[in-house]
Each structure stands twice: as C-alpha cells, then as structure tokens.
Amino acid sequence: MKHVVITGANRGIGLTFVEHYLADGWRVSACCRDPINAPELTQMMSRFNRLQVIELDVTSADSIATLNQTFGTDPIDLLIHNAGYYGPKGVQFGDTDVKQWRTVLEVNTIAPLILTEALYANLKRSPCAVLAFISSKVGSMSDNRSGGGYYYRSSKAALNSIVKSLSIDLRQDGIRCVALHPGWVKTDMGGPNALIDADTSVRGMMAVIKQLTFEQSGHFYDYQGGSIDW
C-alpha cells in the first residue's frame, strides 16, 4: 500500500488531497497544526483505518522531530508540501513588514526543505518516491506583470529554486521532485472569486504527479500539466 504524507491537510487543497488519495487506496498521513479542530479529518478517520492525522507545525523543529519519530522506518512514496501562508494582503512598496515577510518565507520556503531533510530516509525507502511542492504561478518572474505581492511572490520563487536543486541532488536516490501551480482555487486563501474548485485542482495535480518522469523532475507545472516558465 502506497503511503502519502500531506501537510496543511485540514482544509482546502490539502483536505481534498486527503479525500482523493484515500479514495485511490493509499495510506494517508494528514498533517496539520491543530487536529482537535479538524472535524473533516476526524470524520474521515472513523471511515478509513488507512488515515492517520498527525499534529505538525512545519516551522517547529520539535514538531518535525516528533513527526520523524512517528514514521520510524516507514517508507514514504509521496510527500506533498501543501502548508502555506500568504501573509497580509495589499502590501504596497514602502510598507514592508520584515517580521511578516520572515514568517511567509519560513512557512513557504524554509519549512519544506527542512521537512524534506527530516524525512529523507523514509523517502529513500520507497522505490519511486515523489516530492510535490505546491507553489504558485505568482512565483514565476517571467509571468509577473502586475508587481506587488512581495512576500508571497518571493517565497514561491525561492521555493521553485529549492525544487530545482533537490531534483539534482536527489536524483541518485531515485526521488523525483516537482513544483505545482494549483490554479486560482476557491479556498480560504484563493477567495470566492477564484476560477476553479479544489476538486478540479487536486485531480489535475494528482495526474501530473502520477505521470511525472525523471525528465520532468525539477520542473514547474500547472494543474493541467502545462509547463510554467521560471
């Protein structure tokens, strides 16, 4: 039975990933900061013994260490770095809040790499592991035509750079890596005016992950499989 670990799994895109991978017969480890206040996950646990819900703060070294101990020597076939933080919206040039920017970078950029390092041994135990990083098209420099969004844009551009480096460094271990743009999704972050629902986004990203080749490792794709320029 294949094993997927999903961060930020209590709502939106993360929760939808949980639902779909359970439906596909995977063993799912759903990680979130506050499992007690994740009623959807609690309800699913009563229906699926293949689901475990794990408390995880991706910015906490102690929390990551506990997660590592929880998995022990279990192989991980797919690690989906979905947890993310946009930060304050509408920030204009001249209004930079360094503390807020650091928080965005810590969650979106630093945490995925640290968590990957912590679970590296588990990933190597899979014969065909994949690292999927939920990025955003706003991290594409060539696509930036509107400016602004300094915190979130920079965090996702830096994340894309990490994905590229990991695809080179982990290739010898048979681990594929991909940065994924989920589209503009109707979630708490995307808002009600977004163009697609989480189900459409997740189904598309799952298809990209399933078909990912080593030639595609380290690249940036949208939920429809289209390549995105850096």
Side-chain angles (χ1 to χ4, degrees), residues 4-67:
V4 57
V5 178
I6 304 165
T7 68
N10 60 310
R11 60 182 180 176
I13 290 172
L15 182 62
T16 306
F17 269 126
V18 172
E19 294 170 342
H20 282 280
Y21 276 109
L22 284 172
D24 278 359
W26 287 57
R27 173 190 166 200
V28 178
S29 295
C31 305
C32 61
R33 284 183 299 174
D34 189 7
I36 294 176
N37 292 311
E40 294 89 349
L41 289 176
T42 300
Q43 184 180 37
M44 279 190 281
M45 283 181 68
S46 66
R47 294 164 44 214
F48 296 97
N49 58 14
R50 291 179 283 105
L51 171 63
Q52 62 176 338
V53 179
I54 304 169
E55 182 177 348
L56 174 66
D57 178 349
V58 297
T59 66
S60 166
D62 290 342
S63 186
I64 291 174
T66 300
L67 179 70

Side-chain angles (χ1 to χ4, degrees), residues 35-224:
I36 294 176
N37 292 311
E40 294 89 349
L41 289 176
T42 300
Q43 184 180 37
M44 279 190 281
M45 283 181 68
S46 66
R47 294 164 44 214
F48 296 97
N49 58 14
R50 291 179 283 105
L51 171 63
Q52 62 176 338
V53 179
I54 304 169
E55 182 177 348
L56 174 66
D57 178 349
V58 297
T59 66
S60 166
D62 290 342
S63 186
I64 291 174
T66 300
L67 179 70
N68 202 336
Q69 293 171 2
T70 298
F71 291 143
T73 59
D74 288 353
I76 295 174
D77 302 289
L78 173 59
L79 172 56
I80 301 177
H81 292 282
N82 171 70
Y85 176 57
Y86 189 89
K89 296 185 178 181
V91 175
Q92 301 294 318
F93 173 74
D95 296 331
T96 302
D97 183 325
V98 173
K99 184 176 180 180
Q100 283 287 348
W101 193 2
R102 283 177 176 152
T103 300
V104 174
L105 288 169
E106 187 173 15
V107 174
N108 296 348
T109 310
I110 299 171
L113 179 58
I114 298 301
L115 186 57
T116 299
E117 291 177 338
L119 300 180
Y120 174 55
N122 304 83
L123 291 160
K124 285 200 298 180
R125 291 189 179 95
S126 167
C128 54
V130 175
L131 289 164
F133 298 79
I134 307 305
S135 185
S136 173
K137 196 174 182 180
V138 300
S140 167
M141 296 185 192
S142 59
D143 188 68
N144 185 355
R145 298 178 179 87
S146 60
Y150 295 102
Y151 306 167
Y152 196 67
R153 283 190 190 278
S154 63
S155 72
K156 293 301 186 180
L159 176 65
N160 290 347
S161 179
I162 287 171
V163 174
K164 180 63 177 179
S165 287
L166 282 173
S167 72
I168 297 168
D169 295 341
L170 303 185
R171 188 180 181 90
Q172 63 183 6
D173 299 308
I175 299 173
R176 290 159 290 162
C177 309
V178 65
L180 294 170
H181 168 58
W184 187 13
V185 186
K186 294 177 182 178
T187 61
D188 290 345
M189 183 181 292
N193 297 320
L195 299 177
I196 61 172
D197 58 25
D199 188 75
T200 300
S201 173
V202 166
R203 284 182 183 276
M205 289 190 287
M206 287 175 66
V208 175
I209 292 168
K210 185 176 182 179
Q211 299 165 9
L212 189 71
T213 66
F214 274 106
E215 288 70 31
Q216 294 173 312
S217 184
H219 289 262
F220 189 14
Y221 297 101
D222 64 23
Y223 71 98
Q224 295 175 308

